[in-house]
Amino acid sequence: AVVSTQSTGKIWWSIEKNGEALILQMSNKIEDVRDRNEGEKRIAKTGYWAPQLNLEDESSISFRTLYDYIIVDTDQLNIKYNFSKENCKKFAKIVFDKIARSRTYNYVI
């Protein structure tokens, strides 16, 4: 699960968590953060991974507030990735629910 957002300066951000790392990317092109992971094209077991928009909302949260929430408040760096419980969809819900102005991500944990 990848959470992509655009700041007021027309910079696109993506933040995601997998079994190896917590990855933050930024670019002035959405394709760089949506379609690539650390510069490489996203690949799924069945071929190229095509992103899907599941939910969108406006936000006024600052990057610093989001950083503090992810790193300090919820300690996501030290939560070990687990496919069934502590997975990328749960991480996406945590991030989306923090930055979204009026909606929540209805992923059942």
Side-chain angles (χ1 to χ4, degrees):
V2 179
V3 177
S4 296
T5 184
Q6 186 180 31
S7 63
T8 53
K10 303 292 183 188
I11 299 294
W12 287 93
W13 298 83
S14 72
I15 186 162
E16 60 191 287
K17 184 176 184 179
N18 61 32
E20 298 175 8
L22 185 62
I23 302 163
L24 172 68
Q25 302 182 115
M26 61 179 267
S27 177
N28 59 351
K29 294 188 247 173
I30 189 173
E31 297 82 11
D32 291 344
V33 298
R34 182 193 63 203
D35 301 342
R36 298 184 175 279
N37 181 2
E38 298 184 283
E40 300 294 322
K41 194 171 189 178
R42 295 180 187 275
I43 304 292
K45 290 181 182 177
T46 58
Y48 172 69
W49 176 78
Q52 297 175 326
L53 177 62
N54 291 331
L55 192 61
E56 65 182 324
D57 198 358
E58 293 182 358
S59 178
S60 60
I61 192 170
S62 71
F63 177 75
R64 181 63 196 200
T65 300
L66 179 60
Y67 173 87
D68 286 345
Y69 182 72
I70 291 169
I71 305 302
V72 179
D73 299 343
T74 63
D75 198 23
Q76 291 297 311
L77 281 177
N78 293 313
I79 295 176
K80 188 172 178 163
Y81 186 90
N82 177 287
F83 184 74
S84 61
K85 293 181 182 176
E86 296 293 337
N87 56 36
C88 56
K89 290 182 181 179
K90 182 176 180 184
F91 179 74
K93 177 176 177 42
I94 288 167
V95 172
F96 185 85
D97 289 352
K98 179 66 178 175
I99 65 175
R101 181 170 291 169
S102 62
R103 300 184 73 180
T104 57
Y105 179 32
N106 290 324
Y107 167 69
V108 178
I109 299 169

